[in-house]
């Protein structure tokens, strides 16, 4: 957002109580200004034409026309930044993916509150991020996420993913959404050394990007997924010899959180080296490895995603990260791959001239 002028927002929700709660929450955020509220898509249409808001918040469940149907009309007839706000975004399989494909800039779950948080805490942040995309070309309905994310490969965006129990299938699900020219991606999956090579080969057979075991000195490249070798070394990312270049570093050091490689070690290095140009993702797994590192990534400006309870085989690592405040957004497994691509695209729009 440029200057000090707040972003104007129209809130669309069929519940009068919810509209009031959202308006009250946003009133405390000087970066945004609610200029209108609507209980139906038809009321929202008239407000959009009359007020020309910077951002629209849109509920999914509404009478006569659901939020996705209205989103399709918005993107076709009057493209603008839209934040989907719904209790179903964190539980309904495929809903977030569909919203992203149709052009939603952000999503916010009504169920995403931690203990002690005010209603709709963090919604202002989502609106500001969405507002940063205004003026960019609109995403056509049904467009390819692969084509949309290609610009992100030019900006040094790095995706870091950590997983443990249940992670083999979870990682496959996430990476199946990635196009061949995906942003450089680095993975730590807890597994014995003798299995990591076969795991990388299996992934390479079933997904579009190239998948390989990370080696000392590998320069991260778009279209390549680097898997940490299991066993005796941690995988860290350091800066290369050229600006925006990142390199794999395999480090012999004691286990962290009982693991080597450790997700925390990868995430800490991404926070220090890549900073806001990184996306951190924590998937199913026992205990807490990765939580502190993901928090460091979030503090460094990176976007962070955690797998939700319902879709996790073991809701240990994602829960620890969420309760620590390290997770921007919790999502079902089926929505994480598209969400990563959406975030990388947004990073590219913010940084690519």
């Amino acid at each position: 957002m440029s200057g000090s002028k707040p972003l104007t927002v129209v809130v669309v929700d069929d519940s009068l109580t919810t509209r009031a709660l959202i308006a009250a929450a946003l009133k405390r955020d000087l970066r945004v200004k609610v200029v209108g509220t609507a209980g139906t898509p038809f009321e929202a249409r008239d407000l959009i034409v009359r007020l020309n808001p910077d951002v629209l918040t849109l509920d999914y469940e509404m009478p006569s026309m659901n939020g996705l149907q209205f989103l399709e009309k918005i993107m076709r007839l009057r493209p603008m930044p839209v934040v989907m706000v719904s209790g179903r975004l964190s539980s309904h399989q495929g809903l977030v993916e569909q919203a992203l494909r149709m052009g939603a800039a952000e999503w916010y779950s009504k169920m995403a509150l931690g203990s002690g948080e005010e209603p709709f805490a963090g919604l202002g942040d989502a609106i500001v991020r969405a507002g940063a995309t205004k003026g960019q070309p609109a995403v056509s309905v049904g467009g390819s996420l692969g084509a949309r994310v290609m610009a992100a490969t030019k900006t040094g965006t790095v995706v870091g993913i950590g997983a443990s129990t249940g992670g083999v299938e979870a990682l496959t699900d996430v990476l199946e959404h990635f196009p061949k020219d995906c942003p450089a991606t680095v993975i730590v999956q807890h597994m014995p050394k003798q299995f990591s090579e076969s795991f990388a080969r299996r992934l390479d057979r079933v997904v579009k990007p190239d998948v390989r075991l990370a080696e000392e000195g590998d320069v991260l490249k778009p279209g390549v997924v680097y898997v940490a070798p299991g066993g005796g070394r941690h995988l860290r990312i350091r800066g290369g010899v050229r600006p925006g270049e990142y390199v794999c570093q395999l480090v012999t050091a004691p286990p962290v959180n009982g693991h080597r490689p450790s997700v925390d070690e990868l995430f800490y290095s991404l926070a220090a080296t890549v900073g806001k140009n990184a996306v951190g993702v924590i998937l199913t797994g026992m205990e807490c490895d990765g939580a502190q590192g993901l928090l460091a990534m979030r503090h460094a400006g990176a976007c962070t995603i955690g797998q939700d309870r319902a879709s996790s085989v073991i809701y240990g690592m994602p829960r620890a990260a969420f309760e620590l405040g390290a997770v921007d957004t919790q999502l079902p497994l089926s929505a994480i791959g598209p969400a990563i691509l959406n975030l990388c695209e947004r990073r590219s729009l913010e940084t690519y001239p």
Side-chain angles (χ1 to χ4, degrees):
M1 183 173 62
S2 60
S4 58
K5 185 178 179 181
L7 290 166
T8 56
V9 181
V10 164
V11 175
V12 185
D13 196 292
D14 68 319
S15 166
L16 178 62
T17 300
T18 300
R19 296 199 301 272
L21 288 171
I22 291 175
L26 296 180
K27 189 175 182 179
R28 298 189 291 268
D29 193 327
L30 298 180
R31 301 170 299 172
V32 301
K33 179 182 180 181
V34 176
V35 294
T37 64
T40 70
F42 304 105
E43 294 174 3
R45 176 196 59 195
D46 294 340
L47 287 178
I48 292 170
V49 172
R50 180 161 57 89
L51 300 174
N52 191 29
D54 296 313
V55 181
L56 188 77
T57 74
L58 180 59
D59 185 29
Y60 173 73
E61 295 179 331
M62 293 185 296
S64 70
M65 183 188 304
N66 70 40
L68 290 186
Q69 291 171 325
F70 189 45
L71 178 66
E72 186 274 333
K73 293 181 181 297
I74 292 170
M75 290 304 160
R76 178 162 50 85
L77 301 174
R78 195 183 182 93
M80 64 182 299
V82 175
V83 178
M84 295 296 294
V85 181
S86 175
R88 300 185 69 188
L89 285 178
S90 63
S91 60
H92 190 274
Q93 296 292 314
L95 181 58
V96 175
E97 176 182 350
Q98 188 176 358
L100 296 178
R101 288 185 181 279
M102 294 173 69
E106 275 282 342
W107 58 90
Y108 181 89
S109 172
K110 294 177 182 178
M111 305 303 194
L113 294 179
S115 60
E117 285 189 320
E118 294 292 328
F120 298 99
L123 179 56
D125 293 333
I127 290 170
V128 170
R129 290 194 298 264
T133 69
K134 188 172 183 180
Q136 301 294 340
V139 179
S140 61
V141 175
S144 165
L145 277 171
R148 292 165 57 194
V149 81
M150 286 182 67
T153 66
K154 303 174 183 179
T155 66
T157 305
V158 177
V159 178
I161 307 177
S164 188
T165 309
V168 171
E169 294 305 319
L171 285 164
T172 303
D173 185 289
V174 170
L175 295 178
E176 282 179 341
H177 293 279
F178 279 28
K180 186 172 181 62
D181 293 317
C182 69
T185 300
V186 192
I187 292 172
V188 168
Q189 161 70 47
H190 296 158
M191 62 172 46
K193 181 178 181 180
Q194 62 267 33
F195 297 127
S196 57
E197 186 172 356
S198 61
F199 172 59
R201 286 199 303 266
R202 177 198 168 194
L203 280 178
D204 190 55
R205 289 195 301 268
V206 299
V207 303
K208 293 176 183 177
D210 292 332
V211 182
R212 64 183 69 164
L213 283 186
E215 297 184 2
E216 176 69 29
D218 276 348
V219 177
L220 300 189
K221 297 178 181 178
V224 182
V225 176
Y226 302 84
V227 177
R233 292 179 291 179
H234 295 293
L235 174 60
R236 298 174 184 164
I237 303 303
R238 60 175 175 82
V241 296
R242 291 181 288 274
E245 183 178 83
Y246 306 111
V247 178
C248 292
Q249 184 179 26
L250 297 176
V251 180
T252 301
V256 174
N257 301 317
H259 298 284
R260 188 173 53 198
S262 163
V263 181
D264 264 336
E265 286 290 293
L266 173 64
F267 286 173
Y268 278 130
S269 69
L270 289 172
T273 305
V274 185
K276 67 179 182 179
N277 287 328
V279 174
V281 183
I282 193 157
L283 301 178
T284 175
M286 296 179 66
E287 300 176 341
C288 63
D289 189 31
Q292 293 286 349
L294 195 68
L295 182 62
M297 290 185 69
R298 189 175 187 188
H299 286 165
C303 295
T304 59
I305 298 172
Q307 187 174 350
D308 71 359
R309 181 192 299 269
S311 66
S312 296
V313 174
I314 300 291
Y315 186 59
M317 288 164 49
R319 177 178 180 175
F322 179 72
E323 292 181 347
L324 192 64
V327 174
D328 283 321
T329 309
Q330 280 199 121
L331 294 172
L333 180 61
S334 64
I336 290 177
I340 293 170
L341 300 182
N342 182 268
L343 289 170
C344 289
E345 180 197 19
R346 191 176 73 212
R347 283 293 191 247
S348 74
L349 295 177
E350 291 171 354
T351 59
Y352 189 62

